[in-house]
């Protein structure tokens, strides 16, 4: 009977040891999915896309320097000295909307923390012009070789603000 108790004790020890060894495996399980900010590559990668995107918008015939929209045309010809600051603000906005550690504080606050309606109201951006800006953003994401999943998430975050950005184009 003592041999049997020893056998049961040995089995209990082996099972206890196996349970202890299994704990690190459970802890090594995949962590929650990284934030969009992390998957995009952080602030430096986001800033590179914003830089490309911002320069492309200036040259875009529909929404840039030769736009039929006089407010957009004027901004992209007479206010280019403000473009470095705008690139910075756009970078902060994308970092914030993608779950990064940076806080975006609008220079012209909208109704929400990330609201864009007041900053764009006087530009009278139409829904079609917004769509062209979104297309330009897509081209910049492609230029930076952003994977399809992340590209879709960035464009969805941008599209979520379409009504705000185009609020100034609607009659009062």
């Amino acid at each position: 009977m003592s041999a049997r108790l020893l056998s049961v004790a040995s089995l209990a020890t082996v099972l206890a040891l196996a349970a202890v060894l299994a704990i690190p495996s459970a802890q090594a399980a995949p962590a929650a999915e990284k934030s969009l900010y992390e998957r995009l590559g952080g602030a430096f990668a986001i800033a590179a896309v914003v830089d490309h995107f911002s320069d492309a918008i200036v040259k875009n015939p529909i929404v840039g320097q030769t736009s039929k929209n006089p407010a957009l045309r004027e901004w992209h010809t007479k206010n280019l000295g403000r473009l470095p600051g705008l690139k910075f603000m756009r970078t902060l906005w994308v970092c914030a909307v993608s779950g990064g550690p940076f806080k975006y504080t609008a220079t012209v606050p909208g109704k929400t923390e990330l609201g864009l309606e007041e900053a764009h109201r006087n530009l009278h951006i139409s829904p079609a012009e917004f769509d062209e800006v979104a297309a330009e953003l897509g081209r910049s994401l492609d230029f930076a070789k952003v994977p399809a999943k992340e590209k879709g998430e960035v464009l969805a975050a941008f599209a979520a603000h379409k009504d705000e950005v185009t609020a100034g184009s609607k009659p009062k």
Side-chain angles (χ1 to χ4, degrees):
M1 183 142 180
S2 66
R4 185 158 196 221
L5 281 176
L6 182 58
S7 177
V8 171
S10 295
L11 181 60
T13 302
V14 169
L15 290 174
L17 184 57
V20 168
L21 292 174
I23 290 172
S25 298
Q27 290 174 345
E33 184 177 11
K34 291 181 178 180
S35 69
L36 176 58
Y37 171 83
E38 293 169 307
R39 289 181 284 126
L40 289 171
F44 291 96
I46 290 169
V49 171
V50 168
D51 185 61
H52 183 274
F53 164 73
S54 298
D55 290 344
I57 289 295
V58 170
K59 301 295 182 194
N60 184 290
I62 297 170
V63 295
Q65 293 174 323
T66 59
S67 175
K68 291 180 183 177
N69 176 331
L72 287 175
R73 187 173 58 246
E74 180 178 340
W75 200 100
H76 289 110
T77 54
K78 296 182 180 174
N79 291 304
L80 291 180
R82 296 186 67 203
L83 190 57
L86 181 58
K87 288 178 180 183
F88 174 74
M89 296 301 292
R90 286 175 174 164
T91 299
L92 285 177
W93 188 87
V94 175
C95 286
V97 81
S98 65
F102 300 98
K103 179 163 174 50
Y104 168 79
T105 304
T107 55
V108 183
K111 292 179 182 170
T112 66
E113 186 175 318
L114 296 173
L116 302 172
E117 68 275 6
E118 295 307 322
H120 294 87
R121 187 172 305 281
N122 293 334
L123 295 175
H124 310 289
I125 298 169
S126 71
E129 290 165 335
F130 180 93
D131 292 344
E132 180 59 25
V133 171
E136 198 65 69
L137 177 57
R139 290 187 286 274
S140 291
L141 292 164
D142 288 342
F143 176 82
K145 296 180 176 43
V146 172
K149 178 181 179 189
E150 286 74 16
K151 176 184 175 182
E153 290 178 51
V154 170
L155 291 174
F158 184 74
H161 295 272
K162 183 174 183 174
D163 288 343
E164 297 167 14
V165 173
T166 61
S169 72
K170 297 174 175 89
K172 292 181 181 183

